[in-house]
Amino acid sequence: MDDRSEIVELALAWAEAIVANDAAAIGPFMADDWVIIGPDGATARADFLGLVASGDLTHDMMHTVGDARVAFYGATAVYTARVINNGHIRGQRFAADEWTSDVFVRDGNSWKCVLSRVKPTAQSAADDD
């Protein structure tokens, strides 16, 4: 398997773990210092996994729209894709259409995500107006 296919498969497997709402399955995809940056600021790995473990954050669906872009910079890979997902956050239903970028770093024979960035698509932002 080539590196691009490996990153794409890794991203899909991570999405499956997120939809399974299983913090123990999600954690191994992330470096210890992983952080996600979104419209509401930064959330650390422990806080994100705590939300999932408590049931305060659940996902019902997560799908990539179109082809993902994967770029390599030595032992670093940047995965960018449009992702639609939905679920609940602290009892409130959400539906998101976002551009997601994940930065993976090779850790021995595997890849770990060190940073995720989500930004609502233009369409999603227009729906909020």
Side-chain angles (χ1 to χ4, degrees):
M1 172 183 323
D2 66 10
D3 285 343
R4 182 188 188 288
S5 297
E6 185 177 1
I7 293 295
V8 170
E9 286 189 19
L10 181 66
L12 293 174
W14 192 9
E16 288 176 10
I18 290 171
V19 172
N21 300 303
D22 182 349
I26 296 166
F29 291 93
M30 310 151 119
D32 290 342
D33 59 351
W34 174 88
V35 64
I36 186 168
I37 309 294
D40 298 326
T43 302
R45 179 184 193 271
D47 295 331
F48 183 87
L49 294 174
L51 286 169
V52 173
S54 70
D56 283 342
L57 174 61
T58 62
H59 284 82
D60 302 319
M61 178 273 294
M62 182 173 287
H63 295 289
T64 301
V65 177
D67 291 330
R69 176 186 182 270
V70 181
F72 292 91
Y73 307 93
T76 301
V78 179
Y79 172 91
T80 304
R82 183 176 171 196
V83 176
I84 55 171
N85 63 93
N86 62 46
H88 292 84
I89 179 75
R90 295 184 178 96
Q92 297 296 311
R93 182 112 181 108
F94 72 85
D97 184 351
E98 304 166 314
W99 283 104
T100 302
S101 293
D102 295 309
V103 179
F104 291 93
V105 175
R106 188 172 286 285
D107 181 23
N109 291 328
S110 65
W111 294 91
K112 296 283 186 184
C113 189
V114 296
L115 175 73
S116 295
R117 170 74 166 100
V118 294
K119 181 183 184 321
T121 64
Q123 179 61 43
S124 180
D127 291 344
D128 291 340
D129 291 342

